[in-house]
Amino acid sequence: MPSRFASIKGVLLDLSGTLHIDNAVTPRAVEALKLLRNTGIKVRFVTNSTKTSDARLHAKLSKLGFELSPSEIFTSLSAAKRLVQQHNYWPLLILEDEALEQFTDINQDEPYNAVVIGLAPSKLDYRNMNRAFTALLGGADLVGIHRAKYYASAEGQLSLGPGGFIAALEFAADKKAVLVGKPARAFYELALADMGLLESPESVAMVGDDVLADLGGGALELGLLRALVKTGKYREGDESKAEVPLAGTYNTFADFVDAVVS
């Protein structure tokens, strides 16, 4: 086993773009996940997916052939709900209908004291953005589930992520958003604590296709072993955007696993 992986005890895995792209599995990903688990290395999944509920996400991954339990998946959507509950927010939720299913037990009546925005292509229009702007002017807090610049479609085309919409509201309302998903340090710490590795983050690898949203911020602060894969939203030269050199760049997640077990 190469020295850079000699002390690995856990792996945090991005989902969309790394293990799958929409309904297509990345090359050998299902088999590679099984191989990684067989080494005894702990695995958790950390995702900024906000277009669907956690339950629907788990069902989708299972249908694609991945063997994982719901408790192993850490989503920015669930982190956002936790924040809403902690602060007793009555939020204006700008989310897709399938994601809203996760908030049915949350009071969403006006007056709103928070605006929560995720990746919601069918909801991020002028009307809803103006509703959010009005709520923010009235004193509501702004919560960004994540602020990715873009995401990749099944065809490999990049589409605008929620980051630009969050930035627009920050600018217009002169208010800073609270971010709950990757790359926030606290989000990674939830998964590390669940693995029992919060005190030794240097023994954990983070694997993703976005050098900034997956491998920057908290991943860098915690000293995670950061590995970039050339699938999903990856574009040639992305590795050069890393503030600190990455531990490795691989064509696919399966190639990363091959390097770990070799």
Side-chain angles (χ1 to χ4, degrees):
M1 180 179 290
S3 59
R4 71 179 63 181
F5 300 122
S7 61
I8 279 186
K9 298 178 181 177
V11 175
L12 299 180
L13 292 174
D14 173 50
L15 287 173
S16 180
T18 300
L19 296 189
H20 72 97
I21 303 170
D22 200 4
N23 291 315
V25 176
T26 58
R28 299 191 294 123
V30 171
E31 297 78 12
L33 179 58
K34 292 178 181 178
L35 181 60
L36 183 61
R37 287 190 186 278
N38 287 340
T39 66
I41 293 173
K42 297 179 180 179
V43 178
R44 295 296 185 273
F45 306 88
V46 288
T47 177
N48 276 342
S49 174
T50 61
K51 291 172 67 176
T52 188
S53 67
D54 290 5
R56 286 179 180 267
L57 176 61
H58 178 257
K60 176 179 180 176
L61 294 169
S62 297
K63 187 175 181 179
L64 289 175
F66 294 106
E67 296 179 4
L68 69 172
S69 70
S71 64
E72 292 179 310
I73 305 173
F74 291 79
T75 72
S76 54
L77 194 65
S78 60
K81 182 175 180 179
R82 188 179 300 110
L83 182 72
V84 166
Q85 292 171 321
Q86 290 173 343
H87 289 266
N88 195 29
Y89 282 144
W90 291 16
L92 168 60
L93 300 170
I94 303 181
L95 300 170
E96 293 292 343
D97 291 341
E98 289 188 355
L100 288 172
E101 294 173 3
Q102 198 149 324
F103 291 82
T104 55
D105 58 338
I106 298 296
N107 190 322
Q108 300 170 42
D109 295 332
E110 296 186 57
Y112 304 117
N113 57 4
V115 173
V116 179
I117 297 183
L119 178 58
S122 72
K123 301 296 180 69
L124 286 169
D125 53 23
Y126 183 84
R127 174 180 174 274
N128 281 325
M129 287 290 286
N130 205 45
R131 290 175 66 209
F133 174 63
T134 300
L136 294 174
L137 290 184
D141 292 337
L142 178 58
V143 178
I145 298 184
H146 67 90
R147 63 184 312 152
K149 295 179 179 179
Y150 45 76
Y151 67 99
S153 68
E155 296 76 27
Q157 180 179 345
L158 296 183
S159 296
L160 190 63
F165 296 94
I166 293 170
L169 288 172
E170 287 180 320
F171 174 75
D174 195 22
K175 184 163 293 192
K176 188 70 174 176
V178 174
L179 299 175
V180 296
K182 293 179 297 183
R185 178 172 179 153
F187 186 62
Y188 296 106
E189 288 177 334
L190 289 172
L192 291 172
D194 190 64
M195 291 193 289
L197 296 173
L198 184 57
E199 302 304 318
S200 54
E202 71 283 350
S203 69
V204 178
M206 173 65 215
V207 185
D209 65 322
D210 189 323
V211 72
L212 300 178
D214 292 330
L215 309 178
L220 184 58
E221 294 169 14
L222 288 162
L224 301 179
L225 187 64
R226 298 166 302 132
L228 180 67
V229 293
K230 296 183 177 182
T231 50
K233 66 177 68 173
Y234 172 85
R235 291 298 181 268
E236 192 65 36
D238 276 358
E239 50 268 65
S240 65
K241 299 176 183 177
E243 296 178 40
V244 175
L246 302 168
T249 302
Y250 303 89
N251 287 329
T252 66
F253 161 64
D255 290 327
F256 163 78
V257 174
D258 289 343
V260 170
V261 302
S262 62

